Amino acid sequence: MSTINVQGKTIALDKDGYLLELDDWSPAVAEALAAREQMVLSASHWEILELLRRFYAEFQLSPATRPLIRYTAQQLGTEKGNSLHLNKLFHGTPAKLAAKLAGLPKPTNCI
Amino acid sequence: MATLHLLSRSPFTDTSGASCLRLLGPGDGLLLTGDAVHALQPESQPFEVLRALPADRPLFALAEDLDARGLSTPDFVKAVDYAGFVELTLRFERTNSWL
Amino acid sequence: MAKSLLLICRRSPWSGPGAREALDIALAGGAFDLPISLLFLDDGVFQLQPRQQPAAIQQKDLTANLQALPLFGVEALYVARTDLDRRGLSAEHLTLPVTPLEDAALAALLNQHDLVITL
């Protein structure tokens, strides 16, 4: 377990860097988590993170890669809902990394 | 195309046997193991139901589970040992275990 | 060609881990693009009951999770009409778009799949 400090608040992470308390999430926390991955979040990233948070609100689980691609295609069109776009944005592991930055639990059905 | 269904629970306390019969089609087999062999208690309701099954739904029971419970093998059932159990799972295209 | 799987869900939603385990198999298989169908049988049809509030017993929202099945590629969803009728449920008021099947059609459904798992 480790912690990050965001705006004066200490936030607990599990061993893989996911939030222990999903309620701790805020856009600032997402920026801090991204910095740990040597990433700077662009509008294209944010679009997917917001989409993931909607997915979680609706289905109460984190999507694996294929459902994430399907859902993105459904909501944002196939220009963005394809593995190339998502892999490029999230270092080749979109389901895991995007869920982490969006403050979701680690997806269970991912290699 | 046929399925071998495996039952292991007593028909007197569990509904898996009754549900299994609803899914049993022509050519499908039924193997009773464990407490499911209590269905072969003579004069019981499940006994009569199984006896009335069409002949194209072969019935099997594990011999040692029958013996242990003091039950004999009715003429509409074929008793098998564990080697026969394995052979059955190979003879049918798929097996479905009712847990 | 991947083997097709029929999952028979016959556990009520909150009697134990059975309902959750069946869903986990479906989601895991769907995530890997395996052809999976679901049949809700016996008390499994209660999983489709509207207005469940599992938070009352500190459980996760199974209804919400089930809605994800189509996104995981699991779209062949069936229910035994007999079990709905017996339990006073109507196919029009369930939380998933399932196809009701008469008992006479169930054996054929099994035999259309390479593998069957009943939970």
Side-chain angles (χ1 to χ4, degrees):
Chain A
M1 198 183 108
S2 56
T3 58
I4 49 169
N5 225 297
V6 182
Q7 295 169 336
K9 199 180 167 214
T10 303
I11 289 167
L13 307 176
D14 73 7
K15 64 174 171 50
D16 298 314
Y18 291 78
L19 295 183
L20 279 182
E21 291 297 329
L22 304 190
D23 291 340
D24 282 342
W25 190 87
S26 68
V29 168
E31 305 275 9
L33 290 170
R36 281 168 53 96
E37 310 283 340
Q38 285 83 48
M39 288 171 70
V40 176
L41 296 179
S42 67
S44 306
H45 292 107
W46 275 111
E47 184 176 52
I48 303 301
L49 298 190
E50 281 157 15
L51 188 81
L52 263 177
R53 292 186 63 81
R54 288 209 297 279
F55 185 101
Y56 190 77
E58 188 174 350
F59 302 114
Q60 298 291 306
L61 53 85
S62 301
T65 306
R66 286 170 204 273
L68 172 61
I69 292 169
R70 257 189 218 116
Y71 190 67
T72 310
Q74 225 175 58
Q75 304 285 320
L76 304 176
T78 48
E79 289 283 294
K80 290 163 181 168
N82 64 72
S83 57
L84 189 66
H85 178 72
L86 294 170
N87 279 328
K88 213 152 75 184
L89 282 177
F90 295 100
H91 297 181
T93 57
K96 278 189 203 170
L97 183 52
K100 186 189 288 187
L101 303 182
L104 272 47
K106 188 177 175 182
T108 46
N109 295 311
C110 275
I111 326 172
Chain B
M1 295 301 289
T3 304
L4 176 68
H5 291 271
L6 305 176
L7 286 172
S8 60
R9 304 218 186 243
S10 165
F12 302 103
T13 56
D14 189 274
T15 58
S16 56
S19 293
C20 174
L21 291 181
R22 294 162 53 206
L23 271 64
L24 200 67
D28 291 341
L30 182 53
L31 170 58
L32 307 175
T33 68
D35 274 351
V37 302
H38 284 304
L40 300 180
Q41 183 70 38
E43 294 180 47
S44 71
Q45 194 253 349
F47 180 93
E48 296 304 331
V49 170
L50 291 179
R51 182 159 69 176
L53 277 180
D56 62 359
R57 281 128 170 116
L59 281 174
F60 308 91
L62 201 58
E64 62 184 58
D65 286 330
L66 285 169
D67 293 344
R69 289 162 182 78
L71 292 162
S72 49
T73 312
D75 56 6
F76 55 90
V77 172
K78 186 174 187 302
V80 295
D81 58 12
Y82 273 102
F85 185 155
V86 173
E87 191 269 322
L88 279 178
T89 63
L90 296 173
R91 193 197 308 173
F92 287 83
E93 269 164 303
R94 67 189 73 67
T95 57
N96 181 33
S97 298
W98 294 74
L99 301 174
Chain C
M1 185 65 190
K3 289 195 170 183
S4 62
L5 169 67
L6 175 67
L7 261 173
I8 302 180
C9 311
R10 53 191 298 269
R11 300 288 169 210
S12 59
W14 309 115
S15 59
R20 168 71 45 190
E21 285 168 353
L23 176 63
D24 284 345
I25 294 174
L27 294 177
F32 291 101
D33 258 6
L34 300 179
I36 296 187
S37 313
L38 255 62
L39 168 65
F40 294 90
L41 188 78
D42 293 331
D43 279 352
V45 302
F46 284 132
Q47 294 182 33
L48 307 175
Q49 170 107 302
R51 293 184 301 280
Q52 295 177 45
Q53 297 177 53
I57 51 169
Q58 290 81 46
Q59 296 293 322
K60 286 189 190 171
D61 190 339
L62 180 69
T63 305
N65 294 165
L66 285 168
Q67 306 309 309
L69 283 169
L71 281 169
F72 278 71
V74 182
E75 285 161 306
L77 307 170
Y78 305 95
V79 64
R81 190 190 293 280
T82 307
D83 294 319
L84 291 178
D85 292 348
R86 276 185 194 159
R87 289 161 180 79
L89 293 168
S90 146
E92 287 75 50
H93 298 103
L94 301 174
T95 58
L96 269 184
V98 285
T99 305
L101 292 179
E102 308 301 329
D103 281 357
L106 297 178
L109 180 69
L110 263 74
N111 289 332
Q112 282 162 20
H113 292 81
D114 296 313
L115 303 165
V116 183
I117 296 177
T118 297
L119 277 176

